[in-house]
Amino acid sequence: VTVEGFVGDSAVFSCSIPEKEFSAHLRDDEEKSVCDITGGNRTCADQASEYKNRVKTFFEDQKKGNFTFKLNGLQKTDARKYQCHITGPSQNHTITELHVK
């Protein structure tokens, strides 16, 4: 999946799974933590410093098995691949490439 955004705007990364027991982990191509969702709670405690205070998650979507991470304040250095790993009774893995103009 490819997502395009502009410097200063936002980009949305989505991944989904049809079950309610889950954990979702968004990482960049250097395996740096962007944000995690565990048991329905956003846990960005181990987040890499370049993503601090820039990530939003949407709780209502999580109840439906959709995990959306919104990265605000895009910078040229954000242009890279991101991986969303969902773990639980089922597994899912999504790779999104972000282009920043």
Side-chain angles (χ1 to χ4, degrees):
V1 177
T2 301
V3 173
E4 292 186 359
F6 294 92
V7 171
D9 285 345
S10 301
V12 175
F13 304 90
S14 297
C15 46
S16 62
I17 197 166
E19 298 173 12
K20 295 183 182 187
E21 297 298 321
F22 62 84
S23 293
H25 312 279
L26 185 64
R27 301 288 182 268
D28 68 15
D29 62 354
E30 295 178 357
E31 289 297 315
K32 292 180 184 175
S33 176
V34 179
C35 194
D36 297 321
I37 299 170
T38 304
N41 297 310
R42 180 177 161 217
T43 58
C44 298
D46 295 330
Q47 187 177 54
S49 60
E50 56 262 50
Y51 302 114
K52 290 273 187 213
N53 302 314
R54 297 178 52 211
V55 179
K56 180 179 179 181
T57 57
F58 301 89
F59 182 72
E60 286 302 314
D61 289 348
Q62 295 169 31
K63 293 178 185 176
K64 301 171 194 163
N66 298 318
F67 308 99
T68 303
F69 298 90
K70 183 177 182 182
L71 180 60
N72 296 308
L74 289 179
Q75 304 166 14
K76 281 283 197 181
T77 55
D78 292 327
R80 60 182 62 223
K81 290 183 181 178
Y82 293 84
Q83 300 176 33
C84 180
H85 303 278
I86 297 179
T87 58
S90 296
Q91 307 282 319
N92 192 8
H93 178 86
T94 303
I95 297 175
T96 302
E97 187 169 356
L98 174 63
H99 296 258
V100 180
K101 297 178 181 181

